[in-house]
């Protein structure tokens, strides 16, 4: 038996050395092995179109990115994974409360993108029939509405996709990196009738998916423009002054950058740019060069930086209305919903494990003030 173990260990070592892709991540910037998602002969699959392993595209994705996926889970059972995009857990949580100002409710379906995943009890948005500011049909929304599972439109510079585009790796000569998080680029179509016009954004993440101020996505450029593939009218309104500015043209003025860098909390403007970064209020640094992006940087913005959609919103879902990074409706963040008496640990998880009363005080106002200092 001991000899068998040695032979087996040697065989595994040889396999990894001879076939290094065995040790790679499943997607590795592009398509994974076919049977990872498809039941090629219809055995063991969910009986869905395209012979998917799951009943539908999102159910197939969540078989690997559900609660068992560790830090890479985008649908947990507790809301405690703290991924940059947010947790679809919050779509299943509706909160109701009473206060001196009356009754309140925060419906789960308003907490983010309502992807359809029948195996996980997730259904289309019951209120909106299409994407706000666009035409993408709510009934078709799935993980592959945004993420290209094959990655085939990524790497516009040409060459086979050899590495992920999420972590800043250099692609070997003659190959290219995939797009950030497999996001579909210009020309991507998932069968819904919507064809993307914008390329995937430039961003760089840490291998540790749990977001903190010193471990976060470093956003470079193009995020708002990419969101406009489905929400074009919202970006148009932002660029014409009818909504809050966003996009590559929404550069921070010197005054706004100074506000961000000095703002620590309500009534405390003693901050320093070198430690000013707040993961609850990220920004794009304004570059298409991924090598200049540092996911561990605590440095605040300069006038090359810009506001983007994800400055205020999570890409997947959050505990708050409109997938907000904070509760937009709370006068004081300590009064955010869910509160401690409404969802137990949900109150702490909603702010990614940050005790905001301890960190910012009981009278901290909206994080809009990180840029605008009107508190």
């Amino acid at each position: 038996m001991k000899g068998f173990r040695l032979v087996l260990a040697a065989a595994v070592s040889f396999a990894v050395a001879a076939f290094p892709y065995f040790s790679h991540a499943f997607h590795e910037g592009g398509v994974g092995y076919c049977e990872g998602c498809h039941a090629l002969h219809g055995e063991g699959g969910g009986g869905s179109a395209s012979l998917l392993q799951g009943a539908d595209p999102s159910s197939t994705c969540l078989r690997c990115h559900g609660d068992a996926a560790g830090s890479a889970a985008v649908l947990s059972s507790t809301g405690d994974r703290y991924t940059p995009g947010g947790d679809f857990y919050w779509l299943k949580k509706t909160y109701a409360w009473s206060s001196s100002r009356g009754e309140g409710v925060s419906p789960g379906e308003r907490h983010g993108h309502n992807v359809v995943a029948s195996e996980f009890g997730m259904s289309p948005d019951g209120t909106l029939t299409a994407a706000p500011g666009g035409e993408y049909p709510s009934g078709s929304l799935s993980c592959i509405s945004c993420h290209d599972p094959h990655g085939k439109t990524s790497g516009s510079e040409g060459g086979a996709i050899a590495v992920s585009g999420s972590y800043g790796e250099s692609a070997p000569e003659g190959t290219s990196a995939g797009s950030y998080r497999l996001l579909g680029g210009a020309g991507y179509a998932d069968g819904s009738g919507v064809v993307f016009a914008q390329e995937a954004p430039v961003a760089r993440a840490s291998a540790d998916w749990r977001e903190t101020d010193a471990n976060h996505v470093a956003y470079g450029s193009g995020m708002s423009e990419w969101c406009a593939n489905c929400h074009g009218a919202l970006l148009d309104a932002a660029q014409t002054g009818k909504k809050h500015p966003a996009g590559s043209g929404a550069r921070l003025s010197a005054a706004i950058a100074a506000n961000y860098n000095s703002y620590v909390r309500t009534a405390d403007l003693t901050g320093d740019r070198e430690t000013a970064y707040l993961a609850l209020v990220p920004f794009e640094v304004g570059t298409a060069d991924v090598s200049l992006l540092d996911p561990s940087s605590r440095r605040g913005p300069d006038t090359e930086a810009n506001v983007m959609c994800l400055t205020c919103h999570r890409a997947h879902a959050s505990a708050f209305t409109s997938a907000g990074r904070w509760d937009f409706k709370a006068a004081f963040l300590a009064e955010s919903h869910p509160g401690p008496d409404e969802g137990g640990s949900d109150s702490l998880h909603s702010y990614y494990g940050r005790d905001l009363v301890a960190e910012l005080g009981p009278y901290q106002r909206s994080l809009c003030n990180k840029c605008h200092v009107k508190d």
Side-chain angles (χ1 to χ4, degrees), residues 79 82 90 280 319-320 325 336 338 345-353:
Y82 308 161
W90 302 108
L280 294 173
F320 312 118
R325 287 179 177 268
S336 297
S345 60
D346 285 356
S347 178
L348 182 64
H349 295 328
S350 67
Y351 281 108
Y352 279 43

Side-chain angles (χ1 to χ4, degrees), residues 16-84:
V16 171
F19 305 100
Y21 54 80
F22 284 174
S23 63
H24 289 182
F26 174 72
H27 294 287
E28 200 56 36
V31 63
Y33 63 91
C34 300
E35 289 188 323
C37 297
H38 300 277
L40 299 184
H41 298 287
E43 297 177 0
S48 65
S50 304
L51 296 177
L52 293 174
Q53 293 282 4
D56 48 60
S58 291
S59 294
T60 301
C61 296
L62 291 172
R63 287 186 172 198
C64 290
H65 288 283
D67 201 43
S71 65
V74 296
L75 172 62
S76 74
S77 60
T78 57
D80 66 347
R81 298 307 169 89
Y82 308 161
T83 66

Side-chain angles (χ1 to χ4, degrees), residues 307-323:
V307 180
M308 59 174 174
C309 299
L310 299 189
T311 296
C312 302
H313 304 277
R314 296 275 178 196
H316 291 162
S318 78
F320 312 118
T321 298
S322 301

